[in-house]
Amino acid sequence: MPMIYEYDLKEILPRLKGPLKEILESEIAAGNDMVEISSKWPMPEVNVWFKNPLTDKYKKSYPSLQYTYLGDPKNWLEEYIDKENGAMVAAKC
């Protein structure tokens, strides 16, 4: 499993804003652990993967985000994408 590096936390994670930042904070408060942070792919600015599934309650709260259930064991289970800010929050399988 990929590690989260100091650079990821200090340089990449702060790029997360708006609704995705609120989702991130909510998931952390609920005890869900981040397992990977990256940039470039699949979204250019910031990508965050959580260990456990996300709740789908965010769909109604943040209609500006694109929610997709992938259910792909090779990649990830589900994702919320903010195309305007080039960011994603997802859950691993």
Side-chain angles (χ1 to χ4, degrees):
M1 186 175 296
M3 291 179 53
I4 296 177
Y5 298 99
E6 197 67 27
Y7 175 84
D8 299 335
L9 291 170
K10 289 185 175 180
E11 299 296 326
I12 298 174
L13 192 59
R15 299 177 194 166
L16 202 62
K17 20 181 139 156
L20 287 181
K21 184 173 183 183
E22 292 177 23
I23 290 173
L24 173 91
E25 291 168 351
S26 179
E27 289 296 318
I28 289 172
N32 204 351
D33 295 320
M34 290 185 291
V35 292
E36 186 176 350
I37 300 169
S38 72
S39 62
K40 307 278 188 237
W41 184 88
M43 299 302 288
E45 289 299 313
V46 60
N47 303 282
V48 176
W49 284 270
F50 279 96
K51 179 179 181 179
N52 297 312
L54 305 172
T55 62
D56 66 0
K57 67 183 177 192
Y58 304 115
K59 285 193 283 188
K60 291 178 184 170
S61 300
Y62 304 113
S64 65
L65 299 178
Q66 175 187 322
Y67 172 79
T68 306
Y69 177 84
L70 302 162
D72 182 352
K74 292 183 181 175
N75 291 302
W76 51 91
L77 183 67
E78 59 186 334
E79 65 188 15
Y80 284 92
I81 290 179
D82 182 342
K83 288 186 177 185
E84 186 177 315
N85 291 310
M88 178 188 80
V89 170
K92 296 278 190 182
C93 285

